[in-house]
Amino acid sequence: MAPQPAPQPLASKERSLFTQVVKNYENKQYKKGLKAADQILRKNPDHGDTIAMKALIINSQGNTDEAFALAKIALKNSMKSHVCWHVYGLLYRSAKNFEEAIKAYKFALKLEPESQQIQKDLALLQMQMRDYQGYVQSRRAILQQRTSWRQNWTALAIAQHLAGDLVNAERTLTTFEDTLKGVPPKTDIEHAEAVLYKNAIIAEMGDIGRALEHLDAAAKNNPDRTSVMELRAKYLLTLGRNEEAAKAYQALLARNPEYRAYFEGLEAALGLDRSDIKAMKDLYTDYASQNPRGDAARRIPLDFLEGDDFREAADHYLQHMLRKGIPSTFANIKALYANTAKKDTILGLVDSYASDGPTPMVNGSAEKQANGDAELFGPSVRYFLAQHYNYYLSRDLKRAMKYVDELLDLAPKSVDYHMTKARIWKHYGNAQKAAETMEKARTLDDRDRYINTKSAKYHLRNNDNGAAIKNMSLFTRNEAPGGPLGDLHDMQCIWYITEDGESYVRQGKLGLALKRFASISSIFDIWQEDQFDFHSFSLRKGQIRAYVDMIRWEDHLRDHPFFSRAAIAAAQVYVKLYDRPDLAHGSLSNGVNGAKMDSAERKKAEKKARKEREKQEKAEAERKDAKKPAAVDQNGEPKKEDKDPNGELLLQTPEPLLEAMKYVNHLLENSPKNIHAQQLAFEVFIRRRKFLLALRTLIASHTISPSDPTLHEQIFRFQHSLSRLSEPLPPKTMEVINAEFNDLLPASTGLDKHNDDFLQKHHDSAPHVQACLKVRQMLDPSSSEKAQQDLIRTLALESCSLEDAVRGLEILEEWKPEPKYKNDYIAAAHERWPEASAFVSKKQD
Amino acid sequence: MAEPQPSSVQEGMDPEGPPAPASAEDRKAAAAMSSLETRGGDEEAETKKSNNKQIDQEALVKAISRLELADKAAKVAAGEKSQGEKEKEEREKRAKVKVDQADVSLLVDELDLNKVKATELLKAHEGDAVKAMKAFVRASA
């Protein structure tokens, strides 16, 4: 591993010094390395390779700009040195400019085609960039250099597999297998994995028959028994060999009688239809009697039974669970509530338990013996009812509260009961009482991480970030840089960071909110980056099936709901910032003041904001100039210093909409089926006057949900903006809009009529009525008073939820209503939701 | 200034390590991982040796040549088909489709595309800007 300068030969002393530099770099002895490099440069000031190594070391110390400058000098001095090009690639690689890095590696490789190191670096990057064709080539070259390594063969197969060339992938694996003299021992995990990997490739080609043959022949003794058995059962079922498939699934169920997928497989293999109640019942009764303690065989029938059969089975199941006092009984059951008849049956049963107590078991001698059961039965029934009345499909908060209070009288120290009570408060809309109650539950068991987490979340919902982080700090590593919050970032605690950000949005602390959402986004960046290590690591360990799964997961990493939630919230903040630039200056403009500014004031504020922004930018530029090499922690890694802990810099972006686009692009690419993402993208595009792109989101939303209320409003706003353009759109653009927009809002129907029709159709849904009122307000601002009255009337709609009512209040406030109407609205809402804090506190001001 | 490099020479820079670990635990994990990797390397050298007993060296030589032959055959087969098709398509497109630069900049502006993509989109729709934009607007549906 002794790199040596080719083009500019060094004297032997310097040559050994250069070796020293490389060693120092590899061992992260950066200071020593720099010293040695400088020593060489004193004698050979133009020595390209040394300068390149110096650049590499400086980069590792955290000074990227200087490193790039040096590397360029190095290249100028020795254009033909593969070391210089390799270093150049490594610098780009560390700056995450992978495309440039690939180019540099390729150049280095041209100069030094035999270099395995460069070849390997190139291959890893090609994989990271999903350049499968390039990867296949690189892998083939690497294999040719070292044919006796199994992992090189496997790697080529993976490359071919991912590039879609299944036939050659299989052939590569087979070719290697043929060179083996005997069957490798059972302990050879790499072989076992490769066999199953090959099997997966065969199955992916669609040739299930051959996959089964291969599995039976080659995977008999595979240590991954579960996978082999599952695959076998699946193949048999696909091939229609039902009898054998049934046996295979029975064997699997004997190993794990709680796994639903096995039951589904068995049902299919036996040719059972879920309407064939008798056969289905027999099947599950059989399994239930085989596993007296099992749950799945008893719970699954509740999904397909109906009527009296259901009542009987549910009765049996519920009594069994409630006698034992299993706290998760309701959670196990609630999925059935989607079916109203079943919901009513269950409530009827549990109510009868509450009044009559448990039915004495006639035939269940095993269950009769437990005398203690009766003690558990009463409380579990009430606990079940409390949760029942707290559940959104069967909500009656007063009753829920009654049951939970009774329980708390019996057991004042129960964490579970307090937790349920806190949830009831949450549903009442009283975040403060919810947080207090949850906090009380936490103090009853302060070593329980679950309840601690819950309590922190409820504090955040109550906008009490301090209390939340204090709770969290009981379980974090508080000496981490940045304290508990820093540790939560290190541990990538997404839920906390998201809730924290959303809480700051509610409080109007937009800088902090953006900061949190940016953290979420960067955590996803890290996840993307993290796969890099596994391109070589997984191969070395031979765990290729998991590796391929991971690669495929990474390909759609950002369609995760965690990402879209934070991304939507972040982009919403940027939209808000665009509408109200004054918000970028935190304290001087909290909500109310800003809303009341007239246009002249607003312009003034904007001007002021702009000036301050410029000042900030100048200061920032100066700071950059004066920037010293980043501080380094004890391990020699550059220390990250947060120069903007409150997100002020994020707030002061001159182009909030372009910042928003960073999120919007990810959302549209990865979650195009998420209507909230589309609607948010509309808000950004319409403000950027990108009418075609805005139209595109409308069409997409329309495909997802044609009668969505927000979509209805956005369609009208689109029309509204079109009709008041300051300068006409390009004729071709207009042509497209005219052709495509008509489907959404037919020009033949009048605007008012279209809106009224929509209102007529959805008159009993609060969000729809709200949307129509907003549209009416836009079409005819003089109708404001009527719209305000109508808005108050939505509160009386049966389906109007607390969230709808809160949103309604926001809409009303946007209209700058007469105080009378606002008070009326709040009074009406307060009457319907007496406990909700949203309508209590505001009533006073 | 280029001089051939002595054949005994091997360059040996390791690629950049993984990104700076954020916390002590991360660092530990990273250290553990990299030590795994280096050890893995040694182990490999070992297992390689032992494997070598199992692997038939001659067979390996044959295998690699077979692989190459197969690849060549596959390439020729695939090349004739896909390349032929592609080139034909390309040629047809390129020859027929003339793209107006004004349309390209219109698409760049209206659809947030870069020039290359805008040109591609136009070419895919016979250089008709309205058609191209219509297709784009509908594409997400």
Side-chain angles (χ1 to χ4, degrees), chain A residues 520-736:
Chain A
I520 302 285
S521 177
S522 73
I523 287 174
F524 275 83
D525 291 344
I526 292 172
W527 287 353
Q528 176 133 34
E529 172 80 351
D530 277 348
Q531 60 176 312
F532 214 106
D533 300 333
F534 291 92
H535 299 320
S536 50
F537 182 83
S538 297
L539 274 176
R540 213 172 351 237
K541 296 276 138 198
Q543 291 149 342
I544 40 185
R545 284 181 301 154
Y547 170 72
V548 172
D549 282 350
M550 186 237 5
I551 290 295
R552 290 180 168 168
W553 174 79
E554 289 277 3
D555 281 342
H556 59 95
L557 175 64
R558 285 190 184 76
D559 66 11
H560 197 283
F562 278 159
F563 182 81
S564 22
R565 180 170 163 194
I568 290 175
Q572 275 167 345
V573 171
Y574 280 121
V575 168
K576 213 185 250 182
L577 272 180
Y578 174 81
D579 292 348
R580 301 257 316 272
D582 54 293
L583 288 179
H585 300 273
S587 56
L588 92 222
S589 57
N590 44 27
V592 196
N593 294 345
K596 280 183 184 154
M597 273 195 292
D598 62 24
S599 71
E601 271 177 279
R602 194 188 149 111
K603 264 188 197 146
K604 229 194 215 161
E606 268 173 46
K607 204 172 161 196
K608 196 176 154 204
R610 205 176 310 124
K611 255 192 193 157
E612 255 176 60
R613 229 182 280 133
E614 276 160 15
K615 216 165 93 190
Q616 193 96 16
E617 272 161 25
K618 216 171 145 197
E620 179 63 12
E622 275 164 19
R623 207 177 330 157
K624 251 189 200 154
D625 285 343
K627 205 166 84 181
K628 286 173 200 146
V632 168
D633 68 10
Q634 73 270 26
N635 282 19
E637 311 285 357
K639 204 190 262 176
K640 49 173 186 178
E641 182 205 352
D642 195 345
K643 294 183 206 84
D644 183 26
N646 294 324
E648 297 291 332
L649 292 179
L650 292 172
L651 264 189
Q652 262 129 35
T653 168
E655 298 278 9
L657 293 182
L658 292 186
E659 292 298 321
M661 279 309 296
K662 289 180 192 163
Y663 292 100
V664 170
N665 284 333
H666 275 311
L667 285 169
L668 289 182
E669 190 181 323
N670 295 296
S671 318
K673 297 281 171 224
N674 180 338
I675 196 165
H676 301 293
Q678 294 288 354
Q679 290 169 346
L680 167 87
F682 173 86
E683 299 295 339
V684 177
F685 287 136
I686 197 83
R687 282 168 177 76
R688 290 181 60 210
R689 324 209 125 264
K690 300 280 179 193
F691 285 95
L692 287 181
L693 289 166
L695 178 58
R696 191 180 196 223
T697 70
L698 292 180
I699 294 175
S701 296
H702 192 264
T703 328
I704 300 166
S705 167
S707 60
D708 182 86
T710 310
L711 170 65
H712 175 75
E713 181 207 330
Q714 288 184 336
I715 288 173
F716 275 86
R717 276 174 48 210
F718 185 82
Q719 154 72 28
H720 195 64
S721 310
L722 266 187
S723 64
R724 326 161 97 212
L725 285 173
S726 50
E727 52 188 286
L729 292 175
K732 285 179 182 169
T733 307
M734 238 12 250
E735 194 182 333
V736 176

Side-chain angles (χ1 to χ4, degrees), chain A residues 26 144 149 540 690 740, chain B residues 12 44 48 68 109 138:
Chain A
E26 282 169 359
Q144 253 136 16
W149 279 24
R540 213 172 351 237
K690 300 280 179 193
E740 301 295 326
Chain B
E44 234 150 47
K48 199 189 96 196
E68 274 165 42
D109 191 46
R138 269 193 223 145

Side-chain angles (χ1 to χ4, degrees), chain A residues 49 82 122 174 688:
Chain A
D49 292 5
H82 68 272
L122 173 64
T174 311
R688 290 181 60 210

